[in-house]
Amino acid sequence: MDLGIERKNLIEELGVHLEGDHLAPLAARILATLILSGKKGVTFEELVNELNAGKSTVSTHLDHLQNTNRVTYFTKPGERKRYFIIDPNLILNVMEEMLNKWEKERKLHIKIRNYKEESNLQAAKTGDFQFDLEFQEDYLTFLNETSTAVQKLKTRLLARYNEN
Amino acid sequence: MDLGIERKNLIEELGVHLEGDHLAPLAARILATLILSGKKGVTFEELVNELNAGKSTVSTHLDHLQNTNRVTYFTKPGERKRYFIIDPNLILNVMEEMLNKWEKERKLHIKIRNYKEESNLQAAKTGDFQFDLEFQEDYLTFLNETSTAVQKLKTRLLARYNEN
DNA sequence: CTATTGGTTCGGAAAAATCAGAACTAAATG
DNA sequence: CATTTAGTTCTGATTTTTCCGAACCAATAG
């Protein structure tokens, strides 16, 4: 099996998958390329060539990937080129993002539960429709438990990173 | 505080949040409306009116929401109207989707690890660049642990649903 | 000080997603 | 069987996203 071909295929497959995470097609291909290239890093020019993309496109997406803590770069002494790599904390950052999203969701569903309780209070007088709170309760349980699990893993990984 | 206003606000807020999950703006508003309306259900016409949307748009998005197991409807004897509600198993379905996505991701990263190991074997001969496998290992750990946590919760919820 | 390298920024073209209107259909109603 | 109700389907307009080329800039090299 030709490793070059395999590489191209994996970039596409991983790229398509990563598009699922709010990334433009080319941004996803860039991230996939970096994941597959590891710590040796990939230069701007290599990205433009390997992905057959415009410089402006690569520049914009690299910017975005850096702003969202997915990508960084290092430089070599005496060279002006940047070697782009995935952020060493990518996994932690992904977990952090999940936790933030879930926290936002939690607050929202608490607001909704309050709204429904309030509404039930009013409706009790008029004999009107009463909301069921089961969905909100279950959803909040779901959010709490998954958050706790991810939080624990995050703490554990963090400890391991610090110890090494 | 006016509950009608509060309702509108929550639909918007929840709607915006739900757009984050690959839903078109109007699809997100529909789902938000259903979440806020609970088990009494919302008819097609009410959705068209409350959301100021075209019938075709509502029809298409409702279709999609049903196909992705987020929405169902019930009918009342003698009436032709449909009362749309969130799928009673929405939470389980969401968990199921998370698990599927993570499983796909797991397989992909195993492929990538294999590619890197293979590549290292080749490179060992030529003295070429060696891949680090740490990222893949950590990512797989992350996937395994979060999957297990969600799987457990799913089982637990499922048991509780069956028992009631 | 001129040329080259390694990018960035700006303006718009091309493509994709989203939505709406009009015509249509199938079931029930009168 | 004509009408109303409850939607569906098709076509195209509008909006948004994605991408590119050209001009530009700052740092280094010659």
Side-chain angles (χ1 to χ4, degrees):
Chain A
M1 178 191 24
D2 183 344
L3 286 174
I5 304 280
E6 176 71 354
R7 179 184 153 86
K8 295 264 180 220
N9 290 342
L10 282 173
I11 288 176
E12 273 318 297
E13 195 176 349
L14 182 55
V16 169
H17 187 84
L18 290 171
E19 284 184 50
D21 288 10
H22 312 286
L23 290 181
L26 217 105
R29 300 304 178 281
I30 290 175
L31 196 54
T33 304
L34 298 188
I35 288 175
L36 277 158
S37 302
K39 297 191 177 170
K40 71 167 164 294
V42 183
T43 65
F44 185 90
E45 213 199 345
E46 287 169 338
L47 286 171
V48 168
N49 292 333
E50 178 153 17
L51 300 173
N52 292 113
K55 291 206 289 174
S56 55
T57 312
V58 171
S59 178
T60 308
H61 287 307
L62 268 179
D63 232 32
H64 181 242
L65 289 170
Q66 290 175 87
N67 291 334
T68 52
N69 300 315
R70 289 188 259 245
V71 165
T72 5
Y73 62 86
F74 64 86
T75 49
K76 295 183 183 180
E79 274 193 59
R80 196 148 56 99
K81 264 183 287 197
R82 292 168 193 173
Y83 291 82
F84 292 96
I85 50 173
I86 56 170
D87 188 308
N89 290 319
L90 180 58
I91 298 177
L92 287 174
N93 296 339
V94 166
M95 286 195 259
E96 192 62 35
E97 265 177 54
M98 290 173 78
L99 290 173
N100 285 335
K101 194 188 138 210
W102 287 340
E103 175 60 17
K104 223 182 105 191
E105 220 162 292
R106 206 176 62 83
K107 285 183 179 152
L108 237 165
H109 280 278
I110 287 176
K111 262 205 210 173
I112 295 172
R113 190 180 53 188
N114 290 344
Y115 161 80
K116 289 188 176 175
E117 280 170 353
E118 186 84 21
S119 176
N120 281 349
L121 234 57
Q122 302 281 332
K125 301 174 194 161
T126 63
D128 230 345
F129 175 81
Q130 289 281 328
F131 283 111
D132 201 321
L133 299 177
E134 201 194 349
F135 176 73
Q136 256 65 40
E137 298 297 350
D138 283 357
Y139 205 82
L140 287 170
T141 304
F142 162 63
L143 289 175
N144 281 330
E145 303 223 0
T146 47
S147 292
T148 306
V150 171
Q151 181 63 58
K152 269 188 193 153
L153 177 56
K154 197 185 131 198
T155 309
R156 200 148 57 70
L157 264 184
L158 206 57
R160 221 191 61 205
Y161 285 172
N162 284 334
E163 138 199 327
N164 291 354
Chain B
M1 177 191 21
D2 182 343
L3 285 174
I5 304 279
E6 176 71 355
R7 179 184 153 84
K8 295 265 179 219
N9 289 342
L10 281 173
I11 288 175
E12 274 317 298
E13 196 175 348
L14 182 55
V16 169
H17 186 83
L18 289 170
E19 282 184 51
D21 288 11
H22 311 285
L23 291 180
L26 219 106
R29 300 304 179 282
I30 291 175
L31 195 55
T33 304
L34 300 187
I35 287 175
L36 276 158
S37 302
K39 296 191 177 170
K40 69 167 168 294
V42 184
T43 65
F44 186 88
E45 213 198 345
E46 287 169 337
L47 285 171
V48 168
N49 292 333
E50 178 153 17
L51 300 174
N52 292 112
K55 291 208 288 174
S56 54
T57 311
V58 171
S59 178
T60 309
H61 287 308
L62 268 178
D63 232 34
H64 180 242
L65 288 170
Q66 290 175 86
N67 290 335
T68 52
N69 300 315
R70 287 189 260 247
V71 165
T72 4
Y73 61 87
F74 64 86
T75 49
K76 295 181 182 181
E79 273 192 59
R80 197 147 56 98
K81 263 182 290 198
R82 292 170 195 173
Y83 291 81
F84 292 95
I85 50 172
I86 57 170
D87 189 306
N89 291 319
L90 180 57
I91 298 178
L92 285 174
N93 295 340
V94 166
M95 286 194 260
E96 192 61 37
E97 265 177 55
M98 289 173 79
L99 290 173
N100 285 335
K101 195 189 138 211
W102 288 339
E103 176 59 18
K104 225 183 104 191
E105 220 161 290
R106 207 177 62 83
K107 284 183 181 153
L108 237 164
H109 280 277
I110 287 175
K111 261 204 210 173
I112 294 171
R113 191 181 52 187
N114 290 344
Y115 161 79
K116 289 188 177 176
E117 281 171 351
E118 186 83 22
S119 177
N120 281 349
L121 234 57
Q122 302 282 332
K125 299 174 197 162
T126 62
D128 231 345
F129 175 81
Q130 290 281 329
F131 283 113
D132 201 321
L133 299 177
E134 200 192 350
F135 177 73
Q136 256 66 40
E137 297 298 349
D138 284 357
Y139 205 82
L140 287 169
T141 304
F142 163 63
L143 290 173
N144 281 331
E145 302 222 2
T146 47
S147 292
T148 306
V150 171
Q151 181 63 57
K152 269 187 193 156
L153 177 55
K154 196 185 132 200
T155 308
R156 201 147 58 71
L157 265 183
L158 206 56
R160 222 190 60 204
Y161 286 172
N162 284 335
E163 137 198 330
N164 290 351

